[in-house]
Amino acid sequence: MEILDSERIAKAKRAFTTRRVPVERMQMLLPPPAEPKAGDLVLARIEALGHHKAVELLSGRKAALAATDEIVLAYGNRYAPDQFEAIVPRDLGPCHMVAAGGVASRATAWHDKTMFPTAIVPLGLVADLSGRVLNVADFAVAPQPARLTPPAIVIYGTSMNSGKTTTAASLVHGLVKAGFAVGAAKVTGTGAGNDLWAMVDAGACAALDFTDAGFATTYLAPIDALVQGAQELLNSLAAAGAGIAVLEVADGLFQPETAALSKSLEFRKLTSGVLFAAGDAMGAVAGCEWLRDLGHDVLGISGLLTRSPLARREAGVANVPVYGVEELTDPATAASIVSGISKPRLMVIAGGAQCAFQES
């Protein structure tokens, strides 16, 4: 183990995924043969640029990368059909930066339209002065006391790039214009700031994501931990004054963690209704049927299909309203979407586990 010089760490490009870890805690470097875990911080050197030629900094600015640059990333698994599938390696050998938000992993496959991943050489795990490896899970939002938490609308979708974030941000915008104090959170995905900033720009009184709950990425994370993280994010939104929440779930219903959340009774207890984003009518109708069969209240369809009048008409066979950006950002329409959802729930910590029940 070696001391990590403060000037060296200050010059390194620290990625968005590490944003909650104070730089003053980055004091030691644990070199190979250390074994990384998901969420561990790593100081790495850029070996060869590939698909990702920039890294998103703590501020959200995209910083251009060059060979030999030193960067601070977090290890994580990645599931992205449009880009990479990647797994945390069992050693500190050469691997890849598989997300612009700052994820170190070993890519196992990628889309044929995606360039090969940017190659990195891990120099060591980042540790505190005692030698304890820093992990993003150790810097999650502090647990909040039991409180009434806001009713939550969940945004599911058919896949990556189906319009989930646009749907979520548009609904936030419309509800804010209607006079609601809206909190927003993305509960699964790969660490990056774009979706978070979209919620902030839409007017959310508080915006969080799974990195605030202690995950650099959520692929292969235990479902119980993801539900617990969602509970903590809702509690934090409530503490910030949110009267209603909009939650986005990443990827599509076939993604393992998304599928598991959609089937989780505990997660469904946290939510009050669903908007489903899809790129085509067939996907929209199938997704609505999937969610209804699981007991979800599907409030409407949105997503990329709403750009096509014909696709909107085809999606009508799902027998739910179809909302485009114009409708979602309209305050009257946004208010009507949430008019029938349930009352706030009281989140209670009992016996070390959180439980949710609807207030009578």
Side-chain angles (χ1 to χ4, degrees), residues 285-298 317-320:
V285 174
C288 287
E289 290 178 355
W290 170 303
L291 293 166
R292 284 168 171 160
D293 288 347
L294 293 172
H296 294 273
D297 183 10
V298 181
V317 301
N319 294 316
V320 294

Side-chain angles (χ1 to χ4, degrees), residues 70-130:
E70 291 191 351
I71 54 176
V72 181
L73 310 174
Y75 276 102
N77 304 297
R78 187 166 195 205
Y79 180 106
D82 289 358
Q83 287 192 21
F84 300 104
E85 182 178 10
I87 303 297
V88 174
R90 295 183 178 181
D91 56 45
L92 288 183
C95 59
H96 308 105
M97 189 180 91
V98 296
V103 177
S105 197
R106 187 162 289 154
T108 59
W110 51 89
H111 194 287
D112 67 5
K113 291 184 179 179
T114 299
M115 194 176 181
F116 56 85
T118 290
I120 61 173
V121 176
L123 303 174
L125 297 178
V126 181
D128 63 17
L129 195 57
S130 70

Side-chain angles (χ1 to χ4, degrees), residues 125-268:
L125 297 178
V126 181
D128 63 17
L129 195 57
S130 70
R132 176 174 173 166
V133 175
L134 300 177
N135 189 290
V136 296
D138 299 327
F139 301 90
V141 291
Q144 297 291 328
R147 66 176 69 244
L148 288 175
T149 58
I153 302 298
V154 180
I155 314 298
Y156 285 107
T158 52
S159 65
M160 284 183 72
N161 302 320
S162 60
K164 296 183 299 294
T165 300
T166 299
T167 297
S170 298
L171 181 60
V172 169
H173 191 187
L175 290 172
V176 170
K177 289 197 293 184
F180 290 88
V182 188
K186 186 171 183 180
V187 298
T188 63
T190 300
N194 289 343
D195 296 349
L196 194 63
W197 313 137
M199 305 306 172
V200 172
D201 292 344
C205 68
L208 301 167
D209 74 359
F210 51 89
T211 61
D212 295 296
F215 302 93
T217 73
T218 55
Y219 181 37
L220 302 181
I223 186 61
D224 290 347
L226 296 181
V227 174
Q228 178 73 20
Q231 291 176 336
E232 295 293 355
L233 293 178
L234 266 178
N235 281 350
S236 294
L237 294 178
I244 194 165
V246 176
L247 307 181
E248 180 186 348
V249 180
D251 299 302
L253 289 175
F254 285 163
Q255 200 273 356
E257 287 70 44
T258 300
L261 281 180
S262 73
K263 297 172 184 177
S264 166
L265 178 59
E266 294 305 310
F267 184 66
R268 185 150 52 86

Side-chain angles (χ1 to χ4, degrees), residues 158 276-289 292 298-324:
T158 52
F276 190 69
D280 63 88
M282 184 68 186
V285 174
C288 287
E289 290 178 355
R292 284 168 171 160
V298 181
L299 304 175
I301 291 168
S302 189
L304 290 181
L305 72 86
T306 63
R307 299 171 66 180
S308 165
L310 286 175
R312 290 177 69 127
R313 193 163 72 218
E314 290 176 344
V317 301
N319 294 316
V320 294
V322 179
Y323 301 110

